[in-house]
Amino acid sequence: MAERDAARRAGPARQRPDPAGKHYEEEEEEDALPDSDALPDSDDEVDLDKPCPIQIVLAHEDDHNFELDEEALEKILLQEHIKDLNIVVVSVAGAFRKGKSFLLDFMLRYMYNRTSPCWIGGNTEPLTGFTWRGGCERETTGIQIWSEVFVIDKPNGTKVAVLLMDTQGAFDSQSTIKDCATVFALSTMTSSVQVYNLSQNIQEDDLQHLQLFTEYGRLAMEEIYQKPFQTLMFLIRDWSYPYEHAYGLEGGKKFLEKRLQVKQNQHEELQNVRKHIHSCFSNLGCFLLPHPGLKVATNPNFDGRLNDIDEDFKKELRNLVPLLLAPENLVEKEISGSKVTCRDLVEYFKAYIKIYQGEELPHPKSMLQATAEANNLAAVAGAKDLYSRGMEQVCGGDKPYIAPSDLERKHQDFRESAVRQFCSVKKMGGEEFCRRYQEQLEVEIDEIYANFVKHNDGKNIFYAARTPATLFAVMFAMYITSGLTGFLGMNSIATLCNLVLGMALISFCTWAYVKYSGEFREVGTAIDQIAEAIWEQVLKPMSDNLMEDHMRQSVKNSIKAGLTEQVSHHARLKTD
């Protein structure tokens, strides 16, 4: 009995979802998923072998500012097998201590066990994944994402990447209104499904949070004529009035219609929010979720076991999670009518974090400008990748040397294809704005081509031998010149030739050592550049002139031989 009490005080053993997605393994306390204090930050290496929550937006409480951990975000979203897949981003946002992380962990259970009818888990399994706990103090800060991006086959045969996002709770004692609005805005702008987690009811201040987005949406629709946001799901927790509106989606739909009804006695600002919400989001929904039970609310040692959760809550949870995450219900992220890939989402995060780093909340016009910028940068990145993949097929790492003229022709073909792809993507900002990014794309493609040219030249055995051949030619020429000038008594010129000969010999030996050892690469590069200059400015023109003289002499001799043959032929004919 005493052992059980000690174990209870020490806290339950943590569990982690098995990456294979088929079961949960119990682990020792020290091997558990990291707590929020142990989450990888910008100075730590992100380990993708062990799925865990990763902080991508860091909250600085001292100056109430936010910072994007680009390295962590890129390591997760730019993995080779997912970077070009369309992405589904499911985010949960709302007030603090209302069970957002708790809900996301049930979503994780579904994603790892979605083929099983018992995905919700066993009755005695503790709930793990995104860190959560009971109590009145906040747990999550900034924005976290799950380090494993799930690749799902949709019913139409396409593969999509699914990303789960957890956000800092709003209105705690340490956050300003700007902090709360920033986190909510970042998650809404980057998600395809925003779950707006609310307690017991939809209050007027809950709708006020959406005012920034309705104004942004109004401006965006003037340019793209499409709804800028996709799915907004109001999730009402601890719903206490099932006799008025039943638990679940249908009851929520009726409740939401009533809440978003425009009335004459409402303030004009509230009327406008209600009017514009429908025009800004492609899909609006509401789900009424019952209270999970007194054991969940009052037991300090509650660890998420289903035994302690009320049956009504579990029943509705089994309906809610597949409604958001079943393959047939997944909503791919779109911006200005174009599907967003994992690679694109990185650009959008970078653009959005910039505008939320000031003292004040950004104007909706700034948000629109940032979206247009990220939209064009994502199109540039996709077009560049198309060009690079094509050139890799032609002259990549293990491909043989290709003639420079053929390489340039391929470059022009792939360059035109990349520009066509950039132009075909739906973009925001207007023609003049997009033209700047097209010019940037063309400049960057030319830089990539220059690198491919160098790489291809390196495969040419004659090009690789140009430096030693040039240095050897200089040494030979100086040796002959030194001998002749010394024989003729021009000792000063002979001495100068010997000096150049010695420098060329030292350069040759140094170059050979650099190529053999890999050390002093800057010195080797400098010798290559000097040798190339000598080749281009002296040896090549001389060889070209010699070749031209030789060809001219050969043609002259051929013509002379031909005329002589004709004269002798005519002479023989006359004689006959």
Side-chain angles (χ1 to χ4, degrees):
M1 188 74 177
E3 290 175 355
R4 283 201 301 272
D5 289 342
R8 193 175 180 84
R9 284 192 297 271
R14 305 295 299 275
Q15 292 177 320
R16 181 173 65 211
D18 187 292
K22 300 301 178 189
H23 63 279
Y24 290 78
E25 281 186 7
E26 190 160 338
E27 294 184 305
E28 297 297 330
E29 184 71 23
E30 58 269 26
D31 291 312
L33 284 174
D35 291 332
S36 58
D37 294 336
L39 290 176
D41 58 28
S42 56
D43 297 324
D44 296 329
E45 186 75 15
V46 176
D47 184 6
L48 298 181
D49 294 332
K50 291 184 178 181
C52 63
I54 299 295
Q55 193 97 22
I56 58 164
V57 176
L58 312 172
H60 299 300
E61 294 180 358
D62 51 350
D63 59 356
H64 295 283
N65 217 333
F66 292 89
E67 176 190 354
L68 179 66
D69 187 347
E70 293 184 15
E71 184 180 350
L73 183 65
E74 288 174 354
K75 188 159 187 181
I76 293 169
L77 292 183
L78 297 186
Q79 298 176 76
E80 196 62 37
H81 69 290
I82 63 166
K83 66 180 182 180
D84 293 318
L85 293 180
N86 294 337
I87 192 166
V88 175
V89 185
V90 179
S91 168
V92 181
F96 81 113
R97 310 309 305 149
K98 300 301 180 185
K100 297 185 297 298
S101 303
F102 180 74
L103 173 66
L104 276 160
D105 287 343
F106 279 107
M107 293 186 184
L108 281 174
R109 279 195 176 180
Y110 178 81
M111 295 307 294
Y112 281 110
N113 301 275
R114 60 187 177 277
T115 56
S116 169
C118 302
W119 62 265
I120 201 168
N123 286 330
T124 59
E125 293 176 0
L127 185 64
T128 59
F130 288 95
T131 53
W132 63 275
R133 58 180 173 80
C136 60
E137 297 298 325
R138 75 177 184 188
E139 180 70 8
T140 306
T141 61
I143 294 179
Q144 299 173 7
I145 59 175
W146 192 246
S147 64
E148 182 172 355
V149 181
F150 302 94
V151 178
I152 305 297
D153 291 309
K154 293 188 73 177
N156 62 6
T158 60
K159 290 183 183 293
V160 295
V162 179
L163 183 71
L164 298 183
M165 183 189 297
D166 193 11
T167 64
Q168 173 179 318
F171 311 120
D172 65 295
S173 60
Q174 301 170 59
S175 301
T176 65
I177 291 177
K178 175 187 175 290
D179 294 344
C180 303
T182 296
V183 171
F184 190 82
L186 280 171
S187 61
T188 303
M189 299 282 283
T190 54
S191 62
S192 55
V193 178
Q194 176 71 296
V195 179
Y196 195 3
N197 192 70
L198 302 172
S199 177
Q200 298 183 337
N201 214 323
I202 298 178
Q203 308 288 349
E204 290 302 324
D205 57 350
D206 298 325
L207 295 179
Q208 286 279 17
H209 263 84
L210 299 171
Q211 186 174 5
L212 181 67
F213 302 104
T214 56
E215 178 62 17
Y216 166 86
R218 187 182 64 78
L219 292 172
M221 284 188 293
E222 288 177 2
E223 181 173 336
I224 60 175
Y225 308 106
Q226 291 179 343
K227 295 183 178 183
F229 303 115
Q230 289 164 275
T231 298
L232 176 64
M233 172 69 76
F234 290 89
L235 178 61
I236 314 301
R237 308 289 287 270
D238 307 340
W239 179 247
S240 304
Y241 316 106
Y243 48 86
E244 291 185 357
H245 299 287
Y247 297 133
L249 190 64
E250 285 304 313
K253 181 180 178 182
K254 294 175 182 176
F255 170 71
L256 186 63
E257 287 175 357
K258 187 175 179 181
R259 259 300 166 265
L260 295 183
Q261 187 177 2
V262 178
K263 298 177 182 177
Q264 292 300 320
N265 59 349
Q266 287 171 334
H267 190 278
E268 183 182 356
E269 198 174 77
L270 297 179
Q271 288 187 20
N272 288 335
V273 168
R274 284 168 163 78
K275 289 175 183 176
H276 291 311
I277 282 176
H278 283 286
S279 62
C280 290
F281 289 89
S282 300
N283 181 33
L284 282 172
C286 181
F287 197 97
L288 305 178
L289 200 60
H291 195 284
L294 282 178
K295 288 184 179 179
V296 175
T298 60
N299 183 0
N301 296 307
F302 174 67
D303 60 2
R305 296 171 195 255
L306 294 178
N307 272 343
D308 298 330
I309 301 176
D310 282 2
E311 285 300 323
D312 282 346
F313 184 88
K314 289 186 284 190
K315 175 186 173 184
E316 297 304 329
L317 196 62
R318 288 187 181 96
N319 295 328
L320 170 64
V321 175
L323 182 69
L324 299 170
L325 294 174
E328 63 273 15
N329 296 329
L330 291 174
V331 179
E332 296 167 58
K333 177 67 179 170
E334 290 185 10
I335 292 181
S336 71
S338 297
K339 299 284 178 69
V340 174
T341 64
C342 293
R343 184 211 311 275
D344 298 340
L345 189 63
V346 174
E347 298 295 339
Y348 285 106
F349 261 110
K350 290 178 182 177
Y352 291 145
I353 198 70
K354 289 177 187 174
I355 62 171
Y356 287 102
Q357 286 178 334
E359 293 287 329
E360 303 292 332
L361 280 172
H363 190 275
K365 284 186 178 178
S366 301
M367 296 162 59
L368 193 65
Q369 180 79 8
T371 303
E373 179 184 335
N375 183 226
N376 279 271
L377 285 172
V380 168
K384 264 181 14 185
D385 186 63
L386 175 69
Y387 172 82
S388 296
R389 285 203 310 267
M391 291 295 284
E392 283 287 344
Q393 293 294 321
V394 172
C395 64
D398 57 348
K399 300 295 180 183
Y401 173 75
I402 181 173
S405 57
D406 293 340
L407 182 63
E408 185 173 2
R409 190 174 66 254
K410 291 290 185 182
H411 155 69
Q412 292 296 341
D413 292 343
F414 291 130
R415 188 176 189 269
E416 289 173 8
S417 299
V419 171
R420 273 199 307 272
Q421 174 170 311
F422 174 83
C423 295
S424 67
V425 174
K426 290 182 180 178
K427 295 180 291 297
M428 301 170 64
E431 186 177 343
E432 188 64 33
F433 184 82
C434 295
R435 188 179 294 115
R436 295 208 311 265
Y437 288 92
Q438 182 176 334
E439 291 169 359
Q440 176 185 331
L441 169 65
E442 292 170 351
V443 169
E444 291 180 5
I445 283 179
D446 289 340
E447 290 173 356
I448 296 172
Y449 172 62
N451 290 328
F452 275 115
V453 168
K454 290 178 182 176
H455 182 67
N456 186 58
D457 287 342
K459 298 174 185 177
N460 185 345
I461 187 170
F462 296 104
Y463 184 88
R466 179 180 293 180
T467 296
T470 301
L471 293 175
F472 183 77
V474 170
M475 287 188 286
F476 181 77
M478 291 301 104
Y479 176 76
I480 298 297
T481 306
S482 172
L484 286 173
T485 52
F487 178 76
L488 296 173
M490 294 182 283
N491 293 328
S492 57
I493 297 177
T495 303
L496 182 61
C497 291
N498 286 330
L499 179 62
V500 174
L501 172 62
M503 290 175 63
L505 181 59
I506 292 170
S507 298
F508 179 81
C509 295
T510 304
W511 180 87
Y513 175 77
V514 169
K515 293 299 178 183
Y516 174 75
S517 66
E519 300 176 0
F520 309 113
R521 293 166 60 187
E522 294 82 4
V523 177
T525 302
I527 294 172
D528 281 330
Q529 289 173 347
I530 292 170
E532 185 171 1
I534 294 171
W535 171 263
E536 293 292 340
Q537 301 298 325
V538 181
L539 298 180
K540 188 178 179 183
M542 286 176 60
S543 63
D544 289 344
N545 288 336
L546 288 172
M547 186 70 72
E548 188 178 339
D549 290 343
H550 178 72
M551 289 295 294
R552 190 181 293 115
Q553 190 62 41
S554 297
V555 170
K556 199 180 289 183
N557 292 337
S558 299
I559 293 172
K560 189 182 291 186
L563 290 173
T564 304
E565 180 65 28
Q566 284 184 345
V567 169
S568 61
H569 181 66
H570 283 299
R572 282 199 301 272
L573 287 174
K574 284 181 179 180
T575 305
D576 295 339

